[in-house]
Structure formats: C-alpha cells, structure tokens
Amino acid sequence: MPDHTVADSAATRPRVLHLISDERRGGAQNFARDLHRELRRRGQASALCALAPHPAVPAARPARPGAGVCTAGTAVPGTCGEGCPDTARLRAAAVLGPGRLRPSTLWALRCAARAADVVLAHGSDTLAACALALAGTRTPFVYVSVGHPRYWTATRLRRLRGSALMHRAGAVTTLTDEAREVLEEQFGLPEGKVRVIPNSRAAESYPPADGRADRRAARHALGLPADVLLVAWIGAISPEKRLDLALDVLDRLPDVRMAVAGDGPLLEALARHPAAARAHFLGPLPDPAPLYRAADALLLTSDSEGVPGALIEAALAGVPAVATDVGWVREVVRDGATGALVAPGDPLALAEALAKVLACNRAGLGAAARAHALEHFELGAVVDDWQRLVAEVWTADPAH
C-alpha cells in the first residue's frame, strides 16, 4: 500500500472537490477559490462547484449529473477534460442544481463526488448537503467552519442539528483554538476531529494600488468618484453585518463617501437611510480586488465574525481597516498599528476612529497591515496543512 503523503507525486495525491454554497464572492467562497487554485498550482487534482446559483450572479450551465467540474490545467477524472487556461475560468464554479438542498442538487453532488477522493465543504449550507448527499458513499468530506461558533450555536435545536451533521464529517476545521474548544464542547466532537487552520488568502489575488493613478483607474472602472475620501464596506447585507451602523457612521462624516459591495435581505430598506445618498451600492462584485485598490479604508461593522476574510483581503491590498472588536477580528486588525478597533454597536466611536484613520498616515497604516497579513494570513503558509489533512482523511478509509 503506498504511503499517501504531501510529498507524494501528483498521481498518488487525493483528488479534491471544493463545494461552496453559491457563486457569490463571500468569505467562504473566496477562500475556496484561492485554495483550489493553489492546490492545482502544486499539481494536485482539484475541482470547484457550487450547490446553487446566486440570484445576482449570471446563471452558469448546471453540472451534468455524473460529470465532474471543469477546472484549469490537468483534467480531473470525470470532468469535461478541457483546458481552462485563464484565471477567471479557473475561479468559476460549476453549478450543481437549482437550490442548495433540492433533491436534484444533492444527487448531482453525489455524482460529482465520484470523481473526488475528498470533498471540502466550505460553509454551513455545504455541511448539510454533504452529510445528506454523501451518506453511504466512500467519499469522505471535511467541513470548513469559518464563522464564530457561539453565534450559530445559540439555540439547542441548532446545536442538535450541527452535532448530527458534523459527526458525519471526516474532519472539521476551524480558525482558532478557542473556536475548536467551542465546537468540541457544543457538539461533543472527539479529540482530534477538529483541526485549527488559520484563515488565509492568496496575496497575488489582492495587489495594492500602484500609486494614485491606479487608484483613480480602479474607481473609474467601478463608477466611483475620483477625488473623495472613499470607504469600502463589503459583506452580506444581513442583520449581523450591520450595514445600518455603517450608514450611521457615514451620516456623521459628511466629507466621506462609501462603496457598498454585497446584497441581502436588508438592501431595499437600508437604501432609504438618510446617508444612502453618499453611498454607492455596487451589488456583489465578481472580484473585490478592484474595490480594495479604489478605497482609502475598509469599514467592518459586524456584531459577529470569526476571522473575516475581507479584513485579510484589504490588508493584503494595503488598505487600513476600522472594525468592530468581535470574534477574532483583533488577530487581523492591530489597533493603532494597522487600523482601529471599536466596541460593537457604537456609531459615534466608529465615526471617530474612521475619521482618525482617514486623517492620519493611511499609507503607513496600509503598509503595516500588508506586512502583518503577509506574515500571518498568506495562503502559501497554510496549504501544506490542508494537503496533510486531506491526505489523512483520505487514508483513514481502509479501502485506500
């Protein structure tokens, strides 16, 4: 029996299928795309698919049941076998079905998983899909948990449901030791099942603006004003992300504009906020990198977070951040050194902190943020951990 390790040749490494909930550019989706691309760069077979389309993203051709997913470079067995040389196509996800937990979607996932040795389930919707679709198959899955577990385990029903689903996973990953302890306590997961792998992004995907001209060009491409102080807000427009709070902050800073990237159930109501006239609602961007290059700062106003990918992305792009001090945000934002941290729910304190960041040495704060992110959150530093975990989960099956 061969020893399947990270050092093995590509021919003996497990084939990976990344599963995301939909085609949005949310934190879980962005990480899945970056990890998928890096695994392929290292010669490991990797494919990417989404459970369902997102209403704001142009419809893609659904994956054919029994087929894998077309990914760039070397074909994965069961895929279309076509080369996809451009980065945009590499980062695109084939859509499995019309809804996240529809029977046809689950069947398509079960069929697609035949071409994989391990499935990585990025996000809570994919956990339920994998637990249902892969039951009785030989393909194990790893649940990639990115949020703060105390937020989504607040009720007994959620804990019971999460426990039943996570016990079916070959492994569970989370972002910090504290999160691991919460998962083990709340769900009774055995020691060793939950692994800590830090959140990360590929630095090359989020290049800093190359001077003022590049920043102006990025703004022009997004339809944003050229010569104003511009703050970016990126995320789902949902209750816990608190766009209402960000607009309250904007209301206190009359010389500032805000670019809002994202959508969600509160969009229509918040578009009527008094400060919305100085906000540019961009919808979900196909790639957030141009917005980081366009922005002077990033504002994060959430009531709950894990280790937010948007903060890592902004830092890699050399953009300072003002953020609420929730979850493990302080691992990314160093108060006073790379940006500012403020208690959640306080628009006045957030406005004061943002005004201070915008008025001080933004370039210096951004450079410090980038240096910190490159040291602690660059994807290349943790891909070895992912390859080792995938190999372990694969070889845990006696059939391998």
Side-chain angles (χ1 to χ4, degrees):
M1 179 181 296
D3 178 18
H4 300 292
T5 67
V6 172
D8 283 349
S9 68
T12 58
R13 290 176 184 169
R15 301 163 299 174
V16 178
L17 173 62
H18 299 268
L19 182 66
I20 57 179
S21 59
D22 55 47
E23 303 157 284
R24 284 178 299 176
R25 292 282 170 170
Q29 293 94 329
N30 285 352
F31 173 71
R33 290 179 174 97
D34 280 357
L35 181 57
H36 161 57
R37 183 173 63 176
E38 182 61 26
L39 290 178
R40 293 197 65 86
R41 177 180 294 166
R42 295 186 177 203
Q44 185 155 2
S46 179
L48 175 70
C49 64
L51 286 172
H54 188 265
V57 179
R61 182 179 63 186
R64 185 180 74 255
V69 182
C70 179
T71 53
T74 307
V76 179
T79 69
C80 68
E82 300 171 358
C84 308
D86 64 298
T87 300
R89 192 170 180 185
L90 171 60
R91 293 167 67 88
V95 177
L96 293 174
R100 296 180 184 181
L101 296 179
R102 297 276 189 88
S104 60
T105 303
L106 298 179
W107 177 250
L109 172 58
R110 189 179 181 93
C111 293
R114 293 172 185 165
D117 297 304
V118 178
V119 176
L120 296 185
H122 298 267
S124 57
D125 288 326
T126 65
L127 169 62
C130 284
L132 294 169
L134 303 183
T137 73
R138 289 182 176 270
T139 305
F141 73 93
V142 176
Y143 171 49
V144 184
S145 173
V146 297
H148 197 305
R150 291 199 187 279
Y151 182 81
W152 50 266
T153 60
T155 67
R156 184 171 181 270
L157 180 60
R158 284 185 175 185
R159 290 193 293 273
L160 290 173
R161 178 178 179 272
S163 178
L165 296 175
M166 274 188 270
H167 274 84
R168 293 194 174 188
V172 176
T173 69
T174 192
L175 304 177
T176 68
D177 285 324
E178 182 184 345
R180 175 186 54 78
E181 292 171 0
V182 172
L183 288 172
E184 290 175 344
E185 174 188 345
Q186 297 281 8
F187 301 119
L189 298 175
E191 184 177 354
K193 191 181 185 81
V194 184
R195 309 295 184 87
V196 176
I197 303 181
N199 202 359
S200 57
R201 293 290 188 274
E204 65 188 51
S205 297
Y206 308 98
D210 185 14
R212 183 177 179 182
D214 190 22
R215 190 177 304 280
R216 287 173 65 92
R219 292 186 180 190
H220 177 75
L222 293 168
L224 299 170
D227 296 313
V228 298
L229 288 172
L230 182 70
V231 175
W233 188 97
I234 298 178
I237 304 178
S238 54
E240 75 278 7
K241 298 297 184 180
R242 296 300 305 273
L243 178 58
D244 62 314
L245 190 62
L247 291 169
D248 288 344
V249 170
L250 187 63
D251 204 25
R252 289 167 166 80
L253 301 174
D255 296 329
V256 176
R257 298 286 189 93
M258 182 183 297
V260 177
D263 67 354
L266 301 182
L267 175 59
E268 185 176 348
L270 292 177
R272 297 191 293 268
H273 190 283
R278 287 186 288 114
H280 304 265
F281 293 89
L282 304 177
L285 295 177
D287 181 2
L291 180 53
Y292 296 126
R293 292 198 298 276
D296 293 303
L298 179 76
L299 179 62
L300 183 141
T301 49
S302 303
D303 284 339
S304 174
E305 288 287 355
V307 181
L311 290 179
I312 296 172
E313 294 164 8
L316 289 170
V319 178
V322 174
T324 45
D325 190 8
V326 296
W328 301 285
V329 163
R330 62 176 46 244
E331 295 195 7
V332 186
V333 179
R334 299 172 65 194
D335 191 33
T338 69
L341 292 174
V342 178
D346 188 341
L348 179 58
L350 279 165
E352 291 175 348
L354 182 57
K356 185 176 180 181
V357 165
L358 290 173
C360 74
N361 179 16
R362 297 193 300 273
L365 289 174
R370 178 169 168 78
H372 179 66
L374 287 172
E375 181 179 357
H376 297 283
F377 301 107
E378 211 288 314
L379 181 65
V382 300
V383 173
D384 285 349
D385 292 338
W386 281 104
Q387 289 187 290
R388 277 190 288 269
L389 176 59
V390 167
E392 288 175 21
V393 170
W394 180 39
T395 55
D397 187 336
H400 300 134

